[in-house]
Structure formats: C-alpha cells, structure tokens
Amino acid sequence: MSFQISNFQKLRQELPDHVNIVAVSKTKPNNDLLDAYNHGIRDFGENYVQELVAKYESLPKEIRWHFIGHLQSNKAKFIVPFVHLIHGVDSLKLLSEIDKQAGKIQRKIDCLLQIHIAKEDTKFGFDESELDQINFHLLPNVNIRGLMGMASFTNDKNMVRAEFKTLKQLFEKLKFKLPDIDVLSMGMSADYMVATEEGSNLVRVGSLLFGER
Ligand SMILES: *Cc1c(COP(=O)(O)O)cnc(C)c1O
C-alpha cells in the first residue's frame, strides 16, 4: 500500500488547525514519500539514521525531516546538518552531543525532550526530576522547543489519556522555566485523537497514512 491521500485529508479535517501532522515514513520506499510530497506533504518522520540520511540525499530539499526514533549519541553528527526537529532527545549525554555537533557547523538545532510517561519500562526518556536538573543555558546550540512522549501500548484509553495529561502538565510546568516552548508532540495512528484532546499540537502518524509496516 502506498500513500493514502484520502486518509490524510480525513485526518487533516478531523484535527484542529493548530495541530500539525508529521507523516511517519520509516521503512517506506522513496516513491511513497514522493507521492506524499506531490500531494503537498512537507513534514516527514524517520526513526533510523542511515535510512534518514539516504532519504534526505535523494528526496527534495524542501522536506522538513523529523527524527522521531531513539538517537545514539555517536550518530547525532550525521543528521545535525539538515534535521528540522529532533523529537526523541532522551538523555543529557545526547543533548550535549547534539549541542557540540551543532556548534561545529554553527547551526542551532530544534529539539524536543522525550519524557517517559508510559508504564512500560521499554520506553526511553527523562522523568520529571531529571528534567529539573538540566542546565539549559549551558547548551547554546540547541533550541528546546517542547516535549515529546509516547503512551503505553494498550487498548485502555483511560490509561493513555492519563499519560497524555501527565505530559501536558509537565509541559506547562516547564514553560515557567522555558517560556518560549511551543511544541507538544504526542499521538500516533492509534491515539492521535486522545492526544489532541489532551493538548498535543504535533501528531506523528505513520500506518494510517502509509499502511502497516
Ligand atoms: C513509528 C512511530 C510513530 C508512528 O506510528 P504509527 O502507529 O504507525 O502511526 C510515531 N512515533 C514514533 C516515535 C514512532 O516510532
């Protein structure tokens, strides 16, 4: 299955105007992305560094590339030159490395801090106390734009909603320290509506737009 424009249009209509959509294209071939691009899509989300670099090199330069996966520190340098927004910054080590690589090429990188909201141990991210300890002024080449989180993989909508609520509260709290933050990235194909109701303004949707992986 290739890019489903009708699903995108439905999604766009369902979501309020202030909610932006990242089309998650990981594992999908260039032609599917190009199809979406030709329908006007400009924001694409990718999880793997090598795949992202390859796609960046062969697809139109107007694309805004969102890195949404788990980024290993030693690979930050490969995407820092062109990435639009890094969603999954989940450690101080990674944040410092992005800052260092960005400084080398005098670019300022927009980042979202990933917060561990799910009950499962498997999801990466900061917790609230770790967030409190970050000295943002020591990182001149990163621009913290907000937070990102993934809810538990469950059919329990109440649990998912509660996790998104927690993230939204953390976002509002962080705003006291960083008044300019404006991006709350939460919601995927299965839970974008709940996420939006709980305050998301950036959803990351893959399978609904490109089919199952
Ligand atoms: C794959 C992925 C998505 C998209 O998931 P779908 O269920 O296909 O919409 C969103 N966010 C992250 C972090 C992902 O890894």
Side-chain angles (χ1 to χ4, degrees):
M1 194 165 90
S2 55
F3 177 66
Q4 302 292 300
I5 182 62
S6 59
N7 285 355
F8 181 86
Q9 286 164 341
K10 246 190 285 172
L11 180 65
R12 188 59 278 172
Q13 274 178 359
E14 238 182 308
L15 296 171
D17 287 348
H18 71 275
V19 179
N20 292 312
I21 302 167
V22 172
V24 175
S25 49
K26 63 181 176 221
T27 75
K28 298 296 173 182
N30 285 354
N31 271 344
D32 289 7
L33 283 79
L34 209 47
D35 192 11
Y37 180 87
N38 289 332
H39 281 101
I41 312 300
R42 291 295 177 270
D43 291 275
F44 291 87
E46 290 285 336
N47 286 51
Y48 310 103
V49 169
Q50 255 190 330
E51 183 180 348
L52 171 55
V53 171
K55 284 174 171 171
Y56 164 72
E57 283 170 356
S58 43
L59 289 164
K61 292 292 173 277
E62 288 73 24
I63 290 177
R64 295 184 288 265
W65 294 104
H66 296 248
F67 191 82
I68 64 170
H70 172 64
L71 181 58
Q72 286 172 274
S73 300
N74 60 354
K75 294 194 174 161
K77 58 175 175 289
F78 298 118
I79 65 168
V80 155
F82 66 89
V83 73
H84 176 68
L85 178 64
I86 303 179
H87 290 232
V89 180
D90 58 4
S91 72
L92 194 51
K93 182 179 174 213
L94 175 58
L95 196 57
S96 310
E97 181 63 19
I98 295 168
D99 181 66
K100 180 177 145 194
Q101 296 299 334
K104 281 189 192 171
I105 57 168
Q106 297 185 346
R107 195 165 183 249
K108 200 160 169 155
I109 308 297
D110 282 353
C111 293
L112 303 179
L113 302 174
Q114 184 170 356
I115 305 297
H116 184 272
I117 49 170
K119 296 286 172 290
E120 305 141 22
D121 305 330
T122 50
K123 301 258 156 73
F124 295 101
F126 294 97
D127 61 28
E128 186 173 357
S129 62
E130 291 167 334
L131 198 59
D132 282 340
Q133 289 162 18
I134 304 175
N135 277 322
F136 295 105
H137 61 275
L138 297 180
L139 302 159
N141 309 303
V142 295
N143 188 18
I144 305 293
R145 293 291 304 271
L147 300 179
M148 179 269 214
M150 272 189 283
S152 295
F153 186 70
T154 169
N155 287 325
D156 183 349
K157 281 268 183 288
N158 290 329
M159 184 169 167
V160 169
R161 188 179 292 281
E163 290 172 359
F164 286 148
K165 259 191 210 317
T166 302
L167 186 55
K168 167 72 168 166
Q169 283 164 359
L170 263 182
F171 177 83
E172 293 304 330
K173 248 190 187 171
L174 185 62
K175 239 177 178 217
F176 288 110
K177 210 160 138 187
L178 301 174
D180 292 336
I181 59 171
D182 59 354
V183 180
L184 183 53
S185 167
M186 56 184 197
M188 328 195 332
S189 291
D191 55 18
Y192 65 84
M193 218 49 227
V194 186
T196 305
E197 285 161 13
E198 297 306 329
S200 170
N201 60 14
L202 189 57
V203 295
R204 310 174 309 271
V205 178
S207 43
L208 185 70
L209 303 179
F210 291 102
E212 296 299 323
R213 289 177 294 273

